[in-house]
Amino acid sequence: NENYARELMELFTMGVGNYRETDVRELARALTGWYVDAAGTVAFRPRTHDTGSKSILGHTGNFGLEEAVDIILANAATPRHIATRMWEFFVYPQPSTADLQPVIDAYHRSHYDIREMMSAILTSPQFYSNHAYRALVKSPTELVAGVSRQFGLTLGPDTLLAMATMGQSLFDPPDVAGWAGGAGWLSTGGWMARMRWLLAVSSQQAAPVNAASGGAARPQDAVDHAVSVMLDGFVSSGARQAIADHVQSVGASASPSDLFFLVAATPEYQLA
């Protein structure tokens, strides 16, 4: 199965450009014999395994699954690719060599333990730096989970449908590579779907609405409270003023649900 061999190296370990077509074919030979039975269990059928000599990434021998994986994991491209993928998912895009080195060191030190790599990321000064603050676009899952956890929402099956319109059908990625993420979450259709969901939450759920307003009497105080609760107090001056102007303009008819929605609709709220 050359497709599986290719994806193993391209997506999950080494990344594009670090292997040859001959490596794909030879790795596919090393993986022969493994299958999934009718019960969904992964098993090995020795009689269908290729027992001939194989050459994978400069190593030659009668390799099977374990040996082939060990060769891939020991290749220098693997920890760099995995560390980069992890860093860009949890911290910010385009990490430097200095950013990645402690994560790569953890990979080698722990003999390929992902938990140790994650620990190196979470304890890195860069993880708490200004550069990492709001450097990532929230996925639909992160947006929905964040609002739900912060305000204790009760969500029904319709939430999954809303997430699908935002571009993420939970547990159903478009292909084996998963979702592209990043700015791709903010397509025109995806953005409008986010706004529709937030608008529905603001009109149907009391918890976020009450938390957003904080019971403040003055419009500016209500805005300041909502920004503090939902955005750590940090939002562009233009956005803050626009929200305050709206609340001021509608006067007594301004509702806490309007305030929640306006703050949640800011670009800053879509970032993590």
Side-chain angles (χ1 to χ4, degrees):
N1 187 339
E2 291 185 13
N3 185 61
Y4 181 70
R6 186 186 308 279
E7 304 298 10
L8 175 58
M9 292 189 289
E10 177 181 324
L11 295 178
F12 304 114
T13 55
M14 303 176 65
V16 177
N18 294 300
Y19 57 87
R20 301 167 302 167
E21 286 300 305
T22 54
D23 294 318
V24 173
R25 292 192 290 271
E26 295 292 273
L27 178 58
R29 293 177 58 210
L31 298 177
T32 53
W34 290 94
Y35 71 104
V36 180
D37 63 22
T41 302
V42 177
F44 181 63
R45 187 183 290 124
R47 64 183 176 82
T48 62
H49 176 63
D50 184 335
T51 58
S53 180
K54 310 163 188 75
S55 295
I56 303 173
L57 300 171
H59 300 267
T60 301
N62 182 13
F63 301 133
L65 170 65
E66 296 293 335
E67 295 85 1
V69 169
D70 284 342
I71 289 171
I72 292 172
L73 293 179
N75 190 282
T78 299
R80 175 165 294 279
H81 179 67
I82 295 175
T84 300
R85 291 289 302 274
M86 294 174 68
W87 192 280
E88 291 187 336
F89 187 87
F90 289 103
V91 194
Y92 49 71
Q94 300 179 332
S96 68
T97 299
D99 291 334
L100 296 178
Q101 194 58 53
V103 188
I104 294 172
D105 291 343
Y107 174 91
H108 290 297
R109 185 175 61 250
S110 65
H111 195 64
Y112 321 142
D113 192 330
I114 293 294
R115 290 172 298 183
E116 291 301 315
M117 297 177 74
M118 194 70 244
S119 178
I121 290 174
L122 295 177
T123 56
S124 168
Q126 285 80 7
F127 184 75
Y128 303 94
S129 68
N130 290 333
H131 185 40
Y133 187 63
R134 292 182 183 161
L136 303 172
V137 178
K138 293 177 183 174
S139 68
T141 299
E142 291 166 332
L143 175 67
V144 170
V147 173
S148 303
R149 289 177 176 178
Q150 182 176 21
F151 298 110
L153 304 188
T154 301
L155 301 177
D158 58 321
T159 303
L160 295 178
L161 296 176
M163 289 173 58
T165 62
M166 296 180 204
Q168 187 171 38
S169 297
L170 202 59
F171 304 120
D172 186 22
D175 52 48
V176 69
W179 293 277
W185 291 127
L186 300 180
S187 65
T188 302
W191 175 263
M192 294 304 297
R194 287 172 180 243
M195 297 303 103
R196 285 194 296 269
W197 181 77
L198 289 169
L199 189 60
V201 167
S202 69
S203 61
Q204 299 169 7
Q205 300 274 357
V209 168
N210 294 336
S213 65
R218 294 194 314 139
Q220 188 61 57
D221 292 340
V223 172
D224 289 343
H225 179 82
V227 170
S228 176
V229 168
M230 300 173 66
L231 287 171
D232 299 329
F234 297 99
V235 68
S236 70
S237 58
R240 184 191 293 266
Q241 190 59 53
I243 296 170
D245 289 345
H246 171 78
V247 174
Q248 185 71 47
S249 66
V250 297
S253 63
S255 68
S257 61
D258 290 341
L259 183 56
F260 166 82
F261 173 72
L262 289 171
V263 175
T266 60
E268 288 85 353
Y269 198 77
Q270 309 306 311
L271 302 177

